[in-house]
Amino acid sequence: MKILDVNNLKKTYTTRLSSNKVEALKGVTFDVNEGEYVAIMGESGSGKTTLLNIVASLDKPTAGSVFLDDEDITKIKDKELAKFRRDNLGFVFQEFNLLDTFTLEDNIFLPLVLAGESYKEMAPKIVPIAKRLGISDLLKKYPYEVSGGQKQRAAVARALITNPRLVLADEPTGALDSKSTDELLSLFEAINAMGQTILMVTHSVKAASKAKRVLFIKDGVVYHQLYKGDQTDEQMYQSISDTLTMLQTGGDR
């Protein structure tokens, strides 16, 4: 079943000093089915971050639509957006975005607190998630007391605790070392295998090779896409690398 439907999405910015118009997105169209794990790749300035921000309802498009289930998120009123994000989206960021004055547990609970849930309602929800992510014994620690990989696990737990329709990940391995990267990517695969839909923006070929499908953004449009199918991670890695080389050299799709 289709969960996300992006249709002819355009975004034009006007520069402050020169009043020149810059087309960040020129007509992006794609969809994501429930349970898919999709990576978005492209060079800096290709429009992928703009695309993610619009899907996250953090920015408005100049034209086009973004439907999550049956609701066009580009039409949601500003005063209702925060609730929409809490109820439907989970976010995993490169820099974790954890509050240092909160324990990991309190950071994970934050979306539920903002939604008005009581501790009695929240407490049972964290137990299975923390166990699955291997952070049960870290919940009372503060972000500055744990490693980068452990911070990112807490950030993933925060994204999952609301049982979101869609998890959006923005360069989730960008601030991690190799070991923590491998651990996080394994977690993403396990979470996806349990039915969670994931849309991830990444520069990392290794991270993208774990996804079931990779969209390549170039000059504000979806230029190409790859399906993993029966390919191994190594074969997918090579396919992605070949496609990126093609994009950089201006070759045909």
Side-chain angles (χ1 to χ4, degrees):
M1 184 178 74
K2 189 186 299 184
I3 183 175
L4 182 69
D5 188 3
V6 177
N7 186 44
N8 199 28
L9 206 61
K10 299 179 182 180
K11 181 65 178 181
T12 302
Y13 293 101
T14 302
T15 58
R16 282 185 184 177
L17 298 179
S18 63
S19 297
N20 290 333
K21 293 185 181 297
V22 177
E23 288 185 290
L25 300 177
K26 300 178 181 178
V28 171
T29 296
F30 70 95
D31 55 52
V32 176
N33 289 327
E34 188 168 20
E36 267 201 289
Y37 181 1
V38 178
I40 298 174
M41 301 194 78
E43 296 179 324
S44 296
S46 62
K48 62 186 184 300
T49 299
T50 298
L51 173 60
L52 190 71
N53 285 341
I54 293 174
V55 173
S57 71
L58 298 171
D59 196 2
K60 295 280 190 183
T62 305
S65 60
V66 180
F67 281 86
L68 184 63
D69 292 326
D70 296 321
E71 185 166 18
D72 186 351
I73 68 175
T74 68
K75 306 297 185 186
I76 298 174
K77 295 178 181 177
D78 289 346
K79 64 181 180 180
E80 299 170 356
L81 281 174
K83 182 179 186 302
F84 171 82
R85 293 186 201 108
R86 284 199 307 269
D87 292 347
N88 295 282
L89 303 175
F91 297 92
V92 182
F93 303 96
Q94 178 176 342
E95 298 297 337
F96 321 126
N97 285 22
L98 300 176
L99 300 174
D100 278 338
T101 54
F102 283 17
T103 63
L104 296 188
E105 181 179 60
D106 288 339
N107 270 285
I108 296 166
F109 278 151
L110 190 55
L112 301 181
V113 172
L114 294 173
E117 290 196 21
S118 67
Y119 182 78
K120 185 177 181 181
E121 292 174 297
M122 295 188 296
K125 296 181 179 180
I126 200 172
V127 175
I129 293 174
K131 182 177 181 181
R132 190 192 317 163
L133 298 181
I135 56 172
S136 299
D137 58 343
L138 301 175
L139 293 178
K140 299 302 181 183
K141 291 185 178 291
Y142 290 86
Y144 55 81
E145 296 179 308
V146 301
S147 69
Q150 291 165 337
K151 288 179 187 177
Q152 195 61 297
R153 285 170 179 257
V156 172
R158 181 184 57 195
L160 295 177
I161 201 164
T162 59
N163 192 29
R165 293 291 288 145
L166 178 65
V167 167
L168 300 173
D170 186 7
E171 300 286 1
T173 63
L176 301 178
D177 60 28
S178 178
K179 180 175 182 293
S180 297
T181 291
D182 289 341
E183 291 173 350
L184 180 69
L185 294 177
S186 293
L187 282 174
F188 269 28
E189 284 187 291
I191 292 163
N192 174 246
M194 296 178 71
Q196 178 63 61
T197 310
I198 302 172
L199 183 64
M200 172 179 65
V201 162
T202 183
H203 278 102
S204 168
V205 176
K206 183 176 186 178
S209 68
K210 302 290 186 178
K212 294 177 180 176
R213 179 161 55 113
V214 183
L215 300 175
F216 297 88
I217 305 293
K218 181 180 181 182
D219 298 330
V221 299
V222 177
Y223 185 83
H224 190 59
Q225 64 178 328
L226 289 175
Y227 286 87
K228 187 169 188 178
D230 295 329
Q231 293 185 82
T232 64
D233 289 349
E234 291 76 16
Q235 290 170 330
M236 188 63 169
Y237 186 104
Q238 188 60 53
S239 295
I240 294 169
S241 297
D242 292 344
T243 301
L244 289 174
T245 299
M246 176 187 70
L247 292 177
Q248 291 165 359
T249 58
D252 293 331
R253 298 178 220 192

